[in-house]
Amino acid sequence: MKASTLRADIARTLFQVLEQGQSLRELMPALQAKHKEQDRAWLQEMLYGVLRQLPLLQFWLRQLLNKPLKSNQKVVEHLILLGFYQLAFSRVSQHAAVAETVGACQELRCPGLKGLVNACLRNFIRQDMQAMLPDDAQIRSGLPKWLFRKLQQAYPEQLDDLCLATNSKAPIWLRVNQTRVTRAEFCHALDEQEIQYTLPDDFQQAVLLSKGYDLTQLPGYQQGWFAAQDGAAQQAATLLAPQSKERVLDACAAPGGKTCHLLEQQADIKCLALDSDASRLQRVEENLHRLGHQAQIVCGDAAEPSAWWDGELFDRILLDAPCSATGVIRRHPDIKWLRKGTDIPPLVELQGKILKAVWPMLKPGGTLLYATCSILPEENREQIKQFLANQADASLSPLHAQDNASNPGWQILPGEKQMDGFYYARLIKS
C-alpha cells in the first residue's frame, strides 16, 4: 500500500477521534487489518504521537494556517498536524514527510489543497518551527485545559513530572500465569527466542518487555502462560487477597484481567465476574478460557443488584469502578481528547451509587477493594472520605503508613515504578 494512503488513513482516524468523538479502541482493529504488518507499528506510533503532542502541533498550525478549514476539508488540517509530527518528532526524512503527506490529499479527495499542505510543511521547515515553543505551560504539557488545571490544583509540586509521564510511551507489562508455568520457565522461553525483558522489583509474577512485540507470537500465548496487565492493575488481586473457598465478586469485571489474577491467587474461590456490557463480557470469557480459569459470568448493572443478585453475601468484593481513566492516558492517548471536564461529576455520582449498592452484599468482616485507573482526587480520595463519613459499618484497612481517614487509600501516579496511574482503598465491614 502506498505511503500516501497510510498517511491519509491516519488523518481520517485523527478526524474520527478529534471531531467525531470515536475511540481508538473502536477504530484500530479495522485500521490495522487494512495495512501490512510491517506498517502497523509506524501507523500506531504516528497516531499516538499526534494525540500526545496535539496542543503543540495545533499551536504551530495556528502560526501557518490563515483560517481554519471547514466541512469535508477539515480532515486536511489533521493531515497537516501529522506532517508536523513527522518533521518534529519522527525519523522520517523531510523529503518523504512533505511529499507523501502532500500526496495524501489525493486519497482524501482534496487534491485542490495540495498547495496549501505543501506550503505549510515547507514553511514549517524553513522557519524552523519546531524550535518555536509556546510560553503557555498548558500547551507545552500536551494536556487539554480542563485536565491541566485539575492536575495543577491537585499535584502542584509533581505537575511537570506528571505531564511528562502522562505523555510518555507506556511499557508493556506481562503477568505470568503461575497456574500454568513458573516465571523462571517463561523467562527461559523468552531467552530462547532472544526476546528482551526485565524483571521489575517487588513483583513476583511480572515481566516487563523492553520493546514492543506482537503478544500473540510470544512463547506460551496459546497455552495461557501470561496475560498483558500493567503493574498497577496487578496490585488488585494481591491487595484483595482472596482466601480458599471464599465467595468473591468482581464488579465491573470486563475485560477480565483482574478476575483471572484473582483465580491465579486462589484457584478454588467462587468468583462472580459482573459487567453491564454484554459485548465486553465476551472478552472476559475469552481470557478465562485462554488462561484456563473458571468463573461465573453475569451481565448486570452493579448499581442495580436486585436484577441479578441471588441474595448470598460475598466474602470479598473488588469494585473497579467506572472512571475518567486519567491514569492510563499514556497507554490510551485519545482519552485526553474524548473525555471532557463535564464528564467528571456524573462519573463521581455513579461511583458513589455503585459503592453504596454493592456494600450491602458484603459479609460482616468482609473486605471491599475500591479501585480506579484515575488520578483525580474527587474520584478517589474524596469519594472514599465521603463513603466512610456516611457508612457507619465501614472502616479503612490501611495500605501504607500515610493511608488514614483524612487521606484514605493509595494513589499511584503514572510512571511510578513504571506503572500506570491507579487508586486503591481497602474497606472492612464491621
Side-chain angles (χ1 to χ4, degrees):
M1 194 170 284
K2 292 190 297 184
S4 58
T5 304
L6 192 63
R7 285 162 172 82
D9 281 348
I10 294 170
R12 282 194 201 96
T13 305
L14 289 168
F15 179 86
Q16 288 171 300
V17 171
L18 298 170
E19 306 296 334
Q20 298 177 336
Q22 297 184 56
S23 77
L24 285 181
R25 190 175 68 188
E26 299 163 353
L27 297 170
M28 285 300 279
L31 182 63
Q32 296 277 32
K34 185 179 174 183
H35 293 279
K36 294 177 184 176
E37 192 172 331
Q38 60 264 34
D39 292 330
R40 291 173 191 167
W42 188 84
L43 184 149
Q44 181 168 313
E45 182 187 342
M46 292 298 108
L47 263 176
Y48 280 31
V50 172
L51 292 170
R52 287 188 177 113
Q53 300 293 342
L54 186 63
L56 180 58
L57 299 173
Q58 289 175 328
F59 168 78
W60 289 331
L61 185 67
R62 285 193 293 273
Q63 317 300 311
L64 295 174
L65 194 63
N66 293 330
K67 58 182 180 179
L69 299 175
K70 294 182 179 176
S71 63
N72 63 338
Q73 295 184 335
K74 188 74 177 175
V75 68
V76 175
E77 279 193 16
H78 299 84
L79 180 65
I80 297 170
L81 295 176
L82 170 61
F84 290 168
Y85 183 80
Q86 292 171 80
L87 292 168
F89 297 104
S90 81
R91 295 183 298 275
V92 178
S93 71
Q94 288 187 351
H95 172 75
V98 173
E100 301 296 351
T101 304
V102 170
C105 288
Q106 195 76 34
E107 311 274 347
L108 295 171
R109 299 178 183 175
C110 296
L113 294 178
K114 281 185 176 181
L116 175 70
V117 174
N118 185 59
C120 283
L121 298 185
R122 294 204 175 278
N123 282 333
F124 183 90
I125 296 167
R126 195 176 298 117
Q127 297 176 31
D128 192 21
M129 294 289 287
Q130 70 187 80
M132 187 186 293
L133 298 177
D135 295 329
D136 190 326
Q138 177 263 316
I139 296 175
R140 294 198 309 274
S141 76
L143 301 177
K145 288 178 183 176
W146 73 268
L147 182 55
F148 179 78
R149 288 171 184 153
K150 278 190 175 292
L151 299 187
Q152 192 176 39
Q153 184 177 3
Y155 306 101
E157 294 177 8
Q158 298 130 297
L159 183 63
D160 289 345
D161 289 342
L162 195 49
C163 292
L164 193 63
T166 297
N167 286 311
S168 65
K169 290 182 182 178
I172 300 173
W173 286 77
L174 304 180
R175 185 192 75 245
V176 179
N177 178 8
Q178 295 185 322
T179 66
R180 290 280 171 99
V181 67
T182 66
R183 185 167 72 166
E185 289 167 336
F186 179 59
C187 289
H188 178 67
L190 294 178
D191 291 336
E192 286 194 322
Q193 292 195 17
E194 298 183 349
I195 291 164
Q196 299 171 27
Y197 63 90
T198 57
L199 300 179
D201 295 336
D202 306 322
F203 290 85
Q204 299 304 310
Q205 292 173 263
V207 172
L208 260 175
L209 297 183
S210 301
K211 59 180 182 177
Y213 292 94
D214 180 351
L215 300 189
T216 64
Q217 300 304 309
L218 293 183
Y221 176 80
Q222 297 296 341
Q223 297 91 333
W225 284 8
F226 67 90
Q229 187 181 43
D230 185 81
Q234 290 188 36
Q235 303 284 349
T238 305
L239 297 176
L240 190 62
Q243 302 301 301
S244 178
K245 309 290 187 188
E246 284 187 335
R247 182 169 156 85
V248 178
L249 170 64
D250 184 359
C252 315
K258 298 180 186 70
T259 308
C260 292
H261 196 191
L262 288 166
L263 289 158
E264 287 161 27
Q265 292 275 62
Q266 198 64 252
D268 65 352
I269 58 172
K270 297 171 186 172
C271 186
L272 191 157
L274 176 81
D275 205 275
S276 60
D277 188 333
S279 62
R280 295 193 75 215
L281 278 174
Q282 291 179 348
R283 289 281 312 281
V284 179
E285 204 162 336
E286 290 164 7
N287 284 325
L288 285 166
H289 177 73
R290 186 178 68 83
L291 296 167
H293 306 311
Q294 288 189 325
Q296 182 186 0
I297 297 176
V298 174
C299 187
D301 186 348
E304 302 289 345
S306 59
W308 55 267
W309 183 42
D310 63 5
E312 188 180 346
L313 297 174
F314 293 94
D315 297 281
R316 293 174 202 260
I317 296 175
L318 171 60
L319 173 52
D320 190 0
C323 72
S324 63
T326 44
V328 294
I329 286 171
R330 63 184 191 156
R331 206 169 288 284
H332 307 284
D334 54 330
I335 288 170
K336 287 190 292 188
W337 313 113
L338 296 174
R339 186 68 73 203
K340 308 297 178 193
T342 51
D343 296 338
I344 307 306
L347 276 171
V348 171
E349 186 180 346
L350 177 61
Q351 292 155 1
K353 184 180 178 184
I354 296 174
L355 194 48
K356 188 176 179 181
V358 300
W359 187 254
M361 295 189 283
L362 186 64
K363 285 181 182 177
T367 302
L368 182 145
L369 186 68
Y370 176 84
T372 75
C373 56
S374 168
I375 53 175
L376 302 182
E378 55 261 60
E379 297 183 83
N380 298 336
R381 180 186 68 217
E382 299 306 317
Q383 182 74 262
I384 294 303
K385 281 169 73 173
Q386 184 72 34
F387 182 75
L388 289 169
N390 295 335
Q391 197 70 43
D393 60 350
S395 61
L396 200 62
S397 172
L399 300 173
H400 57 81
Q402 285 76 45
D403 183 357
N404 54 55
S406 61
N407 184 39
W410 176 23
Q411 181 67 71
I412 304 168
L413 295 179
E416 193 175 313
K417 292 191 175 180
Q418 301 192 65
M419 294 186 286
D420 286 340
F422 233 85
Y423 176 82
Y424 290 107
R426 191 169 55 197
L427 307 173
I428 305 295
K429 192 171 192 177
S430 61

